[in-house]
Amino acid sequence: MSSQKYASLRYTALRIGLLVACFALVWVLCYAHVIPLGVGDSNLVWMVLVALVLSAPLSWILLRKQRDAMSEQIVERVDRAKARINASAGQEDGAQAPGA
């Protein structure tokens, strides 16, 4: 349970870290003239877009375990919320039934 406690935070941090690493790689490749710098003043936008395109499939592959743990955490929270709602609705129904 403790490993799943911060699953969403861990996944988000790793996803951002992967994006930053991809941006750094794109930045190095741009300034080494391996890939084009962009057009006019679009250099930063170009590098961010290329980094996003690179990081998306990498995160899909590299962060599978973290994404699955986050999914389990979300499912558990939704199930607990549904149970609380059902228990609350049951108490309301039980309280109204004798007086009806």
Side-chain angles (χ1 to χ4, degrees):
M1 176 74 178
S2 65
S3 66
Q4 287 186 349
K5 186 173 182 179
Y6 299 108
S8 297
L9 182 63
R10 186 180 319 113
Y11 175 75
T12 302
L14 288 171
R15 183 75 171 90
I16 291 170
L18 187 59
L19 177 61
V20 169
C22 286
F23 180 80
L25 175 67
V26 168
W27 185 82
V28 168
L29 291 175
C30 278
Y31 285 99
H33 299 289
V34 175
I35 59 176
L37 288 172
V39 178
D41 294 333
S42 68
N43 189 25
L44 182 62
V45 174
W46 163 254
M47 289 192 294
V48 169
L49 288 174
V50 173
L52 283 168
V53 168
L54 287 175
S55 70
L58 287 175
S59 71
W60 183 254
I61 295 166
L62 298 174
L63 303 179
R64 179 171 289 146
K65 288 181 185 178
Q66 289 80 12
R67 190 174 50 254
D68 290 343
M70 181 179 67
S71 176
E72 288 176 17
Q73 179 186 28
I74 291 169
V75 167
E76 287 175 6
R77 286 183 182 176
V78 168
D79 289 344
R80 284 195 308 263
K82 284 181 183 179
R84 282 193 305 267
I85 290 170
N86 289 338
S88 175
Q91 288 176 352
E92 290 176 9
D93 292 343
Q96 292 176 357

